[in-house]
Amino acid sequence: MHASTAAPLAYQVNLSDHALGEAQRNALLAGELGFGKRFTDHMVAIQWDKDRGWHDAQVHAYGPLSLDPAAAVLHYGQEIFEGIKAYRHADGSIWTFRPEANGARLQRSAARLALPQLPVDEFVESLRQLVAVDHAWVPSAPESSLYFRPFMIASEAFLGVRAAQVATYYVIASPAGAYFAKGVAPVSIWLSEDYARAAKGGTGAAKCGGNYAASLLPQQEAQAQGCSQVLFLDPVEGKYLEELGGMNVFLVYRDGRLVTPELSGSILEGITRSSILQLARDRGMTVEERRVSIDEWKAGVASGEIAEVFACGTAAVVTPIGELKGKDFAVGDIHAPAGEVTMALRRELTDIQHGRAPDRHGWMARLR
Ligand SMILES: *Cc1c(COP(=O)(O)O)cnc(C)c1O
């Protein structure tokens, strides 16, 4: 579809002249990292234009972008992103998880947002290039990781409404501590009855900033209700579960079934979701990808037929859901301990990612 370079891109590496010293970096990595607040010394940038395709791949100092105020991304929101982690294993080696899946998803997001498709090999290579210079930033504390944020913007300075003919792909990286520093704790979620995050035929299945922009108001509403996340329903009937706006959702039935909403066209296809489905099948669980109504959730939790509910995504891996609240109801018990199946699946997945369990599906890719 778009011009793509047959030969691998050659990187120009310009090391930062203000990289953090070793002692400072180690002190920072040993402290409370939180999520997405501190960034490594370097970043990747690759240019694309309609005539030349992908070119000018660089690793350079992390820092502000210089962007024309007419850049299309600032006006029409033509932007996509990814989220993927690097894990330091006990022997010091650095690995990532299913990067080809993220690369392929970035391509699907690009297609929907009329942005150019970065070859999957180049996506994986961009992570490798950043780790080559910033490997000391991959933390080694239990459950910690380096979170990569690859993203692409329409950087053409043009206010006409059409797909941009100039785009830039970047990768930045942020060291991340254990998401649940004080132990995995169930969260309370808010059912958004007034807002949808995606539309039929819209961009819900693409990982794009615009979907998040649409979710921030309901997210504020959730917080005002004492909930940490929002659950969105399907945009057509307002009846079926979609997802949490940044995480996919699963129901564990007392009879051993694991149920998750089928990919409806407006749900984001999570790589954690697909990995959890595989691990559940491996455990002999009956896995169902189908439509699940909000009434099924409410009735199932009330009757005890649904024993556990959880959400999953790269950042928090697996988050138990203790309670679901809406305008005139609440089901579940936020004070109940995290479910057994939820925690077993969480442990299994993180053991593979951190190199504590055999990688029987070939999901891990070595970065260094
Ligand atoms: C990224 C994302 C997810 C989770 O996907 P993973 O690949 O598991 O991290 C779920 N929903 C939305 C809307 C997302 O953007």
Side-chain angles (χ1 to χ4, degrees):
M1 179 173 129
H2 291 286
S4 69
T5 40
L9 289 165
Y11 274 75
Q12 193 187 331
V13 179
N14 292 311
L15 293 181
S16 170
D17 59 11
H18 52 276
L20 218 56
E22 190 183 342
Q24 268 175 298
R25 186 184 58 239
N26 289 341
L28 195 144
L29 291 180
E32 279 265 335
L33 288 169
F35 181 80
K37 287 191 283 205
R38 284 297 312 226
F39 297 91
T40 66
D41 296 315
H42 298 89
M43 61 190 286
V44 165
I46 310 177
Q47 308 299 325
W48 177 89
D49 68 43
K50 200 165 170 257
D51 297 331
R52 283 177 292 177
W54 293 103
H55 64 281
D56 191 13
Q58 294 195 24
V59 174
H60 59 66
Y62 181 93
L65 307 180
S66 168
L67 204 57
D68 193 293
V73 64
L74 301 176
H75 305 274
Y76 309 126
Q78 207 186 349
E79 186 265 0
I80 55 174
F81 67 95
E82 270 303 323
I84 180 171
K85 287 173 168 174
Y87 310 88
R88 189 181 292 282
H89 287 185
D91 65 357
S93 59
I94 298 172
W95 299 73
T96 191
F97 183 73
R98 306 185 70 180
E100 289 86 6
N102 291 82
R105 186 169 67 188
L106 184 71
Q107 290 196 325
R108 294 196 299 276
S109 300
R112 180 62 185 85
L113 274 286
L115 280 162
Q117 296 188 359
L118 184 71
V120 172
D121 289 351
E122 292 294 354
F123 173 82
V124 180
E125 180 61 18
S126 70
L127 308 181
R128 217 168 248 129
Q129 288 283 338
L130 191 51
V131 160
V133 294
D134 281 342
H135 54 86
W137 283 90
V138 183
S140 52
E143 306 306 309
S144 67
S145 59
L146 181 69
Y147 181 82
F148 294 110
R149 170 50 60 85
F151 64 106
M152 194 192 300
I153 60 171
S155 41
E156 184 180 10
F158 177 54
L159 293 183
V161 180
R162 59 147 167 74
Q165 297 181 355
V166 183
T168 315
Y169 166 82
Y170 299 100
V171 188
I172 56 175
S174 173
Y179 201 87
F180 295 99
K182 298 184 183 76
V184 177
V187 298
S188 184
I189 62 169
W190 175 250
L191 175 66
S192 179
E193 292 168 270
D194 297 335
Y195 304 105
R197 67 173 279 279
K200 181 172 158 56
T203 56
K207 209 168 173 70
C208 65
N211 292 338
Y212 280 74
S215 76
L216 298 178
L217 178 62
Q219 175 69 30
Q220 269 184 338
E221 190 179 272
Q223 266 145 7
Q225 299 290 337
C227 297
S228 59
Q229 296 280 332
V230 192
L231 173 70
F232 291 100
L233 297 177
D234 78 273
V236 178
E237 294 176 71
K239 236 165 93 176
Y240 300 98
L241 310 186
E242 293 256 294
E243 58 162 305
L244 258 50
M247 284 191 271
N248 297 114
V249 64
F250 280 87
L251 308 172
V252 183
Y253 285 68
R254 198 163 297 286
D255 63 11
R257 280 176 300 146
L258 183 69
V259 179
T260 194
E262 67 186 4
L263 299 173
S264 60
S266 48
I267 292 178
L268 197 283
E269 186 174 358
I271 291 151
T272 318
R273 175 188 181 276
S274 107
S275 309
I276 293 274
L277 286 171
Q278 183 61 53
L279 293 178
R281 280 188 205 102
D282 295 352
R283 293 166 68 89
M285 295 182 78
T286 304
V287 162
E288 296 175 3
E289 292 178 72
R290 60 168 168 86
R291 295 213 291 189
V292 187
S293 72
I294 189 65
D295 290 340
E296 177 176 342
W297 178 331
K298 288 189 203 169
V301 171
S303 72
E305 202 199 338
I306 294 173
E308 306 174 24
V309 189
F310 66 85
C312 70
T314 297
V317 196
V318 168
T319 304
I321 295 174
E323 182 185 43
L324 174 67
K325 282 208 254 182
K327 280 181 188 159
D328 55 8
F329 75 93
V331 289
D333 175 7
I334 188 69
H335 301 294
E340 239 170 75
V341 175
T342 301
M343 293 308 285
L345 287 168
R346 179 177 218 283
R347 164 122 310 247
E348 228 175 298
L349 183 55
T350 54
D351 279 352
I352 294 170
Q353 291 171 332
H354 292 270
R356 298 183 299 249
D359 173 26
R360 57 182 191 273
H361 294 291
W363 284 339
M364 303 305 292
R366 188 163 180 175
L367 292 177
R368 189 186 151 92

